[in-house]
């Protein structure tokens, strides 16, 4: 790989890199591939690992219980279970920052720089439908991708916003129990995986990223409750964007303390590259009572659409909201038509409609958008499932199961 000379010199002088030769040799190797099982839809990972060619003994990622490596012969992105939201393809070291948040059920969590959604869906897997997840992304197109991934993985308690960090800071002072700042960075840790990151890198880009990161971190800090935890992370190696940013922050915020820092190098950790720093805000932590989801969640209408808002949902007026909790459906011509998100967030027995298990061939046909014969089934709505995992809606009439899989998601597997 043709690495920038300035980058090579900087890495050779990086104190934390104790094996420079081993690090450089890693660029002659292929990127490591990994995924994370979604506990919202798959309570027991081992029940699907064989389907996607993963060994639970040898392929588990040490720092993430639901994370697994896979090899080049596996193609999990072209599998029914991927479309069903059973897992999220995510770089191994990128799973570490969320684990460092130490999430508890019922907490309020902010993912400030959330697209494309890997860390947000990981947070959601820890919350298991309790509490509230606010996932923010400043770029509208990336916010839409984030929303699609939140929907695919069946997350029921997320607010997706498209706001400047300053807007979030002004609107949510000391609101969150935990905050994740996966800051935009120079992407040095993605050089093996994304050659374009090499072309875009420069010392000036590093300086610009560091300046922006300090501002984002300052804004994020105001949203955290006293006693709360913030994890700052990047997918880059240099000290300016990592230790330097943390040192500057702590100098300006003497009421905060550093708990730990983690670095991941490709030659040492079987991953690409990541940095994470765990910070805590002084003050007394507020103990949460047991979450009461059904009692505290409420349904709101937005035009003809119905959404189930997360528990303790704040006022959203004036904010650019991409997704307000769980999309239940819409009223069309006086009838309720359920949303794809409602099916994706459901497990058998959760809704008062039948869950129809289909074969692999029929599931692929369904994802292509095809109807299928169902001569013995009563008419009405069905949640179509594969391996017990929901993949969308079908509506049976006159012995034919009509396909309600969204047209924009249909594909050939």
């Amino acid at each position: 790989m043709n690495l920038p000379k300035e980058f090579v010199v900087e890495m050779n002088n990086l104190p934390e890199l104790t094996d420079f030769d081993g690090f450089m040799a890693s660029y002659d190797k292929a990127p490591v591939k990994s995924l994370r099982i979604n506990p919202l839809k798959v309570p027991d990972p081992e029940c699907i690992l064989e389907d996607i060619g993963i060994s639970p003994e040898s392929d588990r990622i040490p720092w993430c219980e639901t994370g697994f490596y896979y090899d080049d012969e596996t193609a999990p992105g072209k599998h029914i279970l991927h479309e069903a939201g059973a897992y999220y393809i995510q770089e191994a070291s990128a799973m570490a920052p969320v684990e460092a948040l130490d999430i508890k059920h019922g907490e309020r969590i902010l993912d400030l720089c959330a697209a494309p959604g890997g860390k947000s869906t990981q947070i959601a897997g820890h919350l298991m439908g309790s509490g509230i997840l606010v996932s923010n992304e400043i770029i509208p197109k990336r916010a839409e991708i984030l929303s699609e991934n939140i929907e695919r993985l069946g997350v029921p308690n997320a607010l997706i916003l498209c706001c400047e960090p300053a807007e979030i800071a002004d609107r949510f002072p000391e609101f969150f129990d935990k905050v994740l700042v996966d800051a935009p960075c120079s992407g040095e840790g993605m050089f093996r995986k994304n050659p374009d990151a090499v072309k875009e890198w420069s010392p000036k880009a590093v300086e610009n990223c560091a300046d922006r990161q300090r501002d984002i971190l300052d804004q994020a800090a105001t949203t955290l409750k006293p006693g709360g935890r913030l994890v700052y992370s990047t997918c880059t190696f240099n000290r300016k964007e990592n230790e330097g940013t943390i040192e500057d922050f702590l100098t300006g915020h003497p009421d905060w303390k550093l708990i730990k820092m983690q670095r991941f190098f490709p030659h040492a950790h079987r991953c690409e590259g990541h940095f994470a720093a765990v910070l805590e805000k002084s003050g007394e932590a507020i103990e949460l009572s047991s979450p009461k989801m059904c009692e505290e969640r409420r349904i709101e209408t937005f035009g003809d659409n119905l959404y189930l808002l997360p528990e303790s949902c704040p006022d959203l007026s004036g904010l650019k909201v991409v997704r307000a909790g769980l999309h239940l459906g819409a009223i069309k011509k006086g009838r309720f038509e359920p949303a794809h998100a409602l099916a994706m967030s459901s497990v058998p027995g959760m809704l008062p409609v039948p869950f129809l298990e289909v074969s692999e061939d029929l599931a692929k046909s369904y994802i292509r958008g095809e109807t299928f014969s169902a001569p013995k089934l009563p008419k009405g709505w069905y949640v179509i499932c594969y391996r017990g995992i929901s993949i969308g809606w079908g509506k049976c009439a006159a012995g034919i199961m009509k396909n309600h899989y969204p047209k924009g998601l249909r594909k050939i597997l």
Side-chain angles (χ1 to χ4, degrees):
M1 182 176 291
N2 188 22
L3 297 171
K5 291 181 180 179
E6 299 95 333
F7 168 74
V8 174
V9 170
E10 183 172 323
M11 295 306 297
N12 193 26
N13 294 326
L14 187 68
E16 291 79 15
L17 182 55
T18 57
D19 180 9
F20 175 74
D21 290 339
F23 173 77
M24 293 302 296
S26 71
Y27 286 97
D28 293 327
K29 300 177 182 178
V32 177
K33 298 180 180 181
S34 53
L35 57 79
R36 179 177 41 76
I37 303 297
N38 176 19
L40 288 167
K41 305 196 76 169
V42 185
D44 179 10
E46 294 192 19
C47 71
I48 68 163
L49 291 179
E50 186 177 345
D51 294 64
I52 48 180
I54 290 175
S55 166
E57 291 81 20
S58 60
D59 294 331
R60 190 181 297 273
I61 295 171
W63 50 87
C64 180
E65 186 178 356
T66 55
F68 297 87
Y69 297 104
Y70 65 90
D71 58 34
D72 290 336
E73 297 179 1
T74 304
K78 298 180 180 180
H79 199 285
I80 300 165
L81 291 172
H82 178 268
E83 305 309 305
Y87 50 82
Y88 189 101
I89 296 173
Q90 185 178 20
E91 199 278 308
S93 65
M95 302 176 192
V98 169
E99 299 304 310
L101 278 172
D102 190 27
I103 296 167
K104 305 292 192 300
H105 280 208
E107 288 186 321
R108 299 171 178 174
I109 313 290
L110 169 64
D111 185 357
L112 186 58
C113 313
K119 292 179 175 68
S120 274
T121 54
Q122 188 177 355
I123 291 168
H126 283 284
L127 289 174
M128 291 301 291
S130 69
I132 183 171
L133 166 61
V134 175
S135 298
N136 181 69
E137 171 54 48
I138 189 174
I139 301 173
K141 287 185 178 180
R142 285 172 56 83
E144 290 295 336
I145 295 171
L146 168 64
S147 181
E148 291 171 5
N149 282 320
I150 288 286
E151 180 175 90
R152 180 172 64 86
L153 269 70
V155 178
N157 59 327
L159 300 177
I160 300 177
L161 306 182
C162 185
C163 300
E164 293 280 353
E167 292 181 82
I168 302 294
D170 290 342
R171 196 58 172 273
F172 299 100
E174 297 189 347
F175 180 80
F176 296 101
D177 301 288
K178 307 282 171 63
V179 173
L180 176 66
V181 180
D182 186 44
C185 68
S186 59
E188 295 167 353
M190 293 292 104
F191 281 0
R192 290 199 309 183
K193 189 176 179 181
N194 180 12
D196 287 340
V198 180
K199 298 175 184 177
E200 295 168 1
W201 187 93
S202 70
K204 181 62 176 176
V206 170
E207 294 285 355
N208 290 340
C209 286
D211 290 342
R212 186 181 182 191
Q213 289 155 358
R214 285 191 289 268
D215 180 62
I216 292 173
L217 190 52
D218 284 341
Q219 302 289 356
T222 68
T223 70
L224 191 68
K225 293 178 181 179
R229 172 172 286 202
L230 183 151
V231 173
Y232 169 84
S233 66
T234 72
C235 57
T236 206
F237 298 123
N238 68 78
R239 288 185 60 86
K240 288 187 181 72
E241 298 179 68
N242 295 328
E243 287 88 353
T245 298
I246 297 303
E247 289 165 5
D248 288 347
F249 176 80
L250 292 173
T251 299
H253 298 79
D255 56 332
W256 286 66
K257 63 180 178 179
L258 175 66
I259 303 303
K260 66 176 180 178
M261 289 191 287
Q262 296 175 291
R263 274 184 170 276
F264 293 85
F265 290 108
H267 66 292
H269 299 102
R270 197 182 173 191
C271 61
E272 296 310 301
H274 230 78
F275 169 87
V278 182
L279 302 165
E280 285 190 359
K281 189 175 184 178
S282 64
E284 185 176 352
I286 300 172
E287 292 295 328
L288 295 167
S289 58
S290 298
K292 300 178 180 178
M293 291 177 56
C294 296
E295 296 179 14
E296 297 183 6
R297 304 185 75 178
R298 67 182 190 275
I299 294 175
E300 292 283 346
T301 57
F302 297 85
D304 295 331
N305 291 281
L306 280 69
Y307 284 81
L308 180 63
L309 301 185
E311 57 187 72
S312 304
C313 184
D315 176 26
L316 302 175
S317 59
L319 297 174
K320 186 173 181 181
V321 181
V322 179
R323 182 178 293 266
L326 177 61
H327 188 197
L328 299 177
I331 305 298
K332 296 184 178 181
K333 298 180 181 180
R335 297 193 302 269
F336 176 74
E337 184 165 315
H340 182 63
L342 180 58
M344 296 302 284
S345 67
S346 301
V347 296
M350 180 176 168
L351 296 175
V353 296
F355 282 66
L356 181 64
E357 179 73 19
V358 298
S359 66
E360 180 179 352
D361 288 342
L362 207 53
K364 290 180 177 179
S365 170
Y366 172 79
I367 290 171
R368 289 196 297 269
E370 299 171 7
T371 61
F372 58 88
S373 177
K376 297 182 180 180
L377 294 179
K379 66 178 182 179
W381 289 98
Y382 289 78
V383 177
I384 309 301
C385 297
Y386 174 71
R387 298 295 306 272
I389 303 169
S390 58
I391 53 178
W393 290 105
K395 190 175 184 181
C396 192
I400 299 295
M401 186 66 70
K402 296 181 179 179
N403 195 311
H404 283 260
Y405 196 67
K407 291 183 180 179
L409 300 179
R410 295 175 182 179
K411 61 182 66 174
I412 298 174
L413 298 177

